[in-house]
Amino acid sequence: MIIVMKPKFSEDNLGNVIKTIEGLGLTAHLSRGENTTLIGVVGDKRKLLEKNPELLPDVDRIIQVSETYKLANKKFKTEPTVIDVDGVKIGGDNFVIMAGPCAVESHDQLIATAEAAKAGGAQILRGGAYKPRTSPYSFQGLEVEGLKYMAEAREATGLKIITEVTSEHALEAAVNYVDIIQIGARNMQNFELLKEAGRINKPVMLKRGLAATIDEWLNAAEYIMSEGNEDVILCERGIRTFETSTRNTLDISAVPVLRSKTHLPIIVDPSHASGVRAYISPLSKAAVAVGADGLMIEVHPCPEKALSDGAQSLNAEDFKALTDELRPFIELAGRKF
Ligand code: PEP
Ligand code: MN
């Protein structure tokens, strides 16, 4: 339920509404927009309805939210969420590029990739230390050693760092090293992991599940937010369809659909969506055009030798060429890069 305040409300009356909500054991989420101030109510709203909240002083009206996700819902918060990662803004006017290897493979490989990412204008370095691989015999990641290399790369380049966690154990380790935690497609509905990620105080990027609907995805985001962590970034990384020319099918329409349903920032990952290096550039342009807040791109100093996802990885030169090519499109979309 949402309580919308009158355009000219007094702070005392606003405080009184919040006190009434909290007094009933419910949670009040205040959202002050430019024109509208509203309070999202989470919990068993029947108790509040019995008190006729529309009659409280300075309350304009009550809106019932039919969706099961509340905190992620645009109706709860009309202004777009901008997440500030130590000076790097995700959302709003900014366009952010996260780049790096699929997996952290060695110290030298990561430092070389971090330098390439930085040279191409990326603000955030990605790198998997815990890899969710289809086969148990494939490279599984360097785990804590990989996290240490990530932290070293941040020192060396000033880039912020993001890494995926595949378990609560990995989350416990990674949270000490990185700036943003990534929850991958395969774990989008690992509800225990989502709840645990909701209890940390770092932003979480939640990738769309391989066969998840947008509503399931937003409910997964709600799991994180309802535990107290509202800094959630959504990442569209392609979904399973009947098409086999690409690894997945980039659901480009997810970006405007999400925009209509949520205030959370949206990143597009054309690397995992397509699985094909040659399609990264056109899909990146499409992402910019539909209003994504940024991109996640796989980069490797020598993609032919990559231990995972070489076919979709760009080398340093190709990554630089990509960002040079994208810059005018990003400006045209009214974003800063
Ligand atoms: C990744 O980003 O390294 C990854 C495994 O992606 P996804 O979860 O989208 O498959
Ligand atoms: Mn990958």
Side-chain angles (χ1 to χ4, degrees), residues 277 300-307 310-311 313 315:
R277 191 176 305 135
H300 193 285
C302 189
E304 312 72 61
K305 296 207 174 123
L307 296 182
S313 299
N315 64 24

Side-chain angles (χ1 to χ4, degrees), residues 11 20 25 64 84 153 156 171 183 188 214 221 226 258 267 281 296 304 315 333:
E11 287 298 321
T20 307
Q64 299 288 358
D84 191 330
L171 173 62
I183 294 186
M188 191 207 83
I214 288 175
S226 63
L258 285 170
I267 300 292
S281 162
M296 171 170 263
E304 312 72 61
N315 64 24

Side-chain angles (χ1 to χ4, degrees), residues 47 70 79 103 106 108 176-177 186 191 217 265 304 323:
K47 289 187 266 179
K70 311 287 180 194
E79 306 283 302
S106 70
D108 292 357
N176 300 313
Y177 292 93
R186 288 154 195 82
F191 298 118
W217 188 10
E304 312 72 61
T323 55

